[in-house]
Amino acid sequence: MKISGSTILITGASGGIGGAIARQLVQRGATLILVNRDGDKLAAFAAELDAAGGKPIPLAGDLAQPGEPARIVQDALAQSGSIDILINCAGVQNFGFFAEESAADTATLFQINTVAPIALTNAVLPHMLKAGKGQIVNLGSIFGSIGFPCFATYSASKFALRGFSEALRRELAGTGVGVTYVAPRFTKTAFNRSAVTRMANALKMNQDDPESVAASVIAAIERNDRERYLGWPEKLFVRINSILPRLVDPSLIKQVDQMRPFANESTR
Ligand SMILES: NC(=O)c1ccc[n+]([C@@H]2O[C@H](COP(=O)([O-])OP(=O)(O)OC[C@H]3O[C@@H](n4cnc5c(N)ncnc54)[C@H](OP(=O)(O)O)[C@@H]3O)[C@@H](O)[C@H]2O)c1
């Protein structure tokens, strides 16, 4: 879909990847509706984009609250008149051994990573269908295709988002509304707390800058990609894991011992 002249609602807008996407979208002439939880951070970021000529609309909201996605879309439409593209980028991560994870943390993670993007899509879809055009863009993860130890609920939340994206894309074929799922690998943002970053370094995980991830997300939008997996060899591992998961089991099971001290530190 064309970026220039489009009105784009992006959640997680002041985060590492969302912020980089927003800056690049402004450079390409989009009008942005920025959503995140922290109102002060959002106002500062909106002022930065305004100074760059972006004229963004900031909308603070807590996606962990069930009623918020519908309210956010309603307010966004009232202020902007239209939404051409929805980018679901807000997300949180639970890292550690699942036996130590509280039910409340699991529920919050699913609310933010899975239920909120689905609810935002549900609220914006009638508007896009009426217009006969639109694009839903969901930020997943390589862990949304490869179930990763010590990220069990995070992986599950992104598996669900990937399944939703695939089903909805098929359902909407021919309507003019597309669905794009983008799966980054480890990206250097505040999303990864200290223990996760040190673990990633110890495991020699490949790491991307948010700017390059943002450029890939925008390329995926422009090309109306169905799915885009970022990084080599990660995109190959995704294929192998989907066809022959038993081939992948031994290396990931072996890694649990290397992850243990970091996971213990995280859940202590
Ligand atoms: N970084 C990685 O390694 C990585 C890898 C693969 C996929 N991803 C995915 O990429 C997306 C963006 O990640 P990131 O690295 O940019 O994360 P980040 O820097 O931590 O930013 C997260 C964003 O989500 C917002 N958010 C969190 N909880 C919220 C809530 N309850 N209500 C509203 N907004 C909320 C934050 O807003 P506040 O600051 O106001 O809380 C922030 O803007 C996520 O979906 C993540 O799963 C990240």
Side-chain angles (χ1 to χ4, degrees):
M1 195 164 180
K2 195 161 162 267
I3 303 287
S4 173
S6 289
T7 301
I8 303 178
L9 189 157
I10 176 166
T11 69
S14 63
I17 295 174
I21 295 172
R23 288 185 186 96
Q24 293 181 26
L25 289 174
V26 162
Q27 282 169 8
R28 285 162 175 261
T31 299
L32 297 188
I33 303 157
L34 309 169
V35 176
N36 75 317
R37 182 176 35 187
D38 181 332
D40 292 341
K41 214 158 58 170
L42 190 61
F45 187 55
E48 179 200 319
L49 294 187
D50 201 38
K55 307 252 171 299
I57 300 169
L59 272 183
D62 182 356
L63 294 172
Q65 304 304 319
E68 279 294 83
R71 194 273 304 166
I72 286 166
V73 169
Q74 212 177 0
D75 284 4
L77 284 172
Q79 291 193 48
S80 71
S82 75
I83 298 172
D84 301 306
I85 301 173
L86 164 66
I87 305 179
N88 284 307
C89 186
V92 292
Q93 181 193 72
N94 291 348
F95 168 62
F97 289 108
F98 179 62
E100 310 292 331
E101 186 170 312
S102 75
D105 283 352
T106 304
T108 302
L109 174 127
F110 270 92
Q111 184 64 38
I112 297 168
N113 289 7
T114 312
V115 178
I118 290 173
L120 285 160
T121 303
N122 182 255
V124 84
L125 204 47
H127 167 81
M128 288 182 175
L129 288 171
K130 200 167 159 202
K133 65 183 171 80
Q135 196 161 359
I136 309 293
V137 182
N138 292 325
L139 264 288
S141 168
I142 290 294
F143 291 4
S145 299
I146 301 175
F148 220 83
C150 298
F151 292 90
T153 54
Y154 177 72
S155 289
S157 73
K158 296 295 187 178
F159 267 70
L161 189 62
R162 181 168 61 86
F164 171 70
S165 305
E166 181 177 273
L168 189 66
R169 177 175 51 74
R170 291 170 174 162
E171 182 178 317
L172 294 177
T175 64
V177 181
V179 182
T180 299
Y181 174 83
V182 184
R185 62 184 178 186
F186 186 102
T187 308
K188 289 178 245 171
T189 73
F191 185 74
N192 298 303
R193 284 166 290 137
S194 165
V196 179
T197 299
R198 283 182 282 114
M199 180 203 69
N201 292 337
L203 294 179
K204 298 192 174 23
M205 281 183 179
N206 295 315
Q207 305 187 12
D208 289 321
D209 291 318
E211 291 73 21
S212 70
V213 173
S216 296
V217 171
I218 291 171
I221 295 172
E222 288 178 323
R223 294 168 51 128
N224 292 319
D225 279 357
R226 302 141 53 121
E227 295 182 333
R228 186 176 278 229
Y229 296 89
L230 307 187
W232 183 264
E234 287 77 3
K235 60 179 81 173
L236 173 66
F237 293 156
V238 165
R239 294 263 169 148
I240 295 171
N241 191 62
S242 74
I243 303 166
L244 296 165
R246 277 168 195 241
L247 272 188
V248 178
D249 279 350
S251 65
L252 287 187
I253 290 168
K254 207 169 125 203
Q255 276 188 15
V256 174
D257 277 339
Q258 286 174 276
M259 297 172 82
R260 192 174 304 282
F262 304 101
N264 283 337
E265 180 187 330
S266 181
T267 47
R268 205 177 290 139

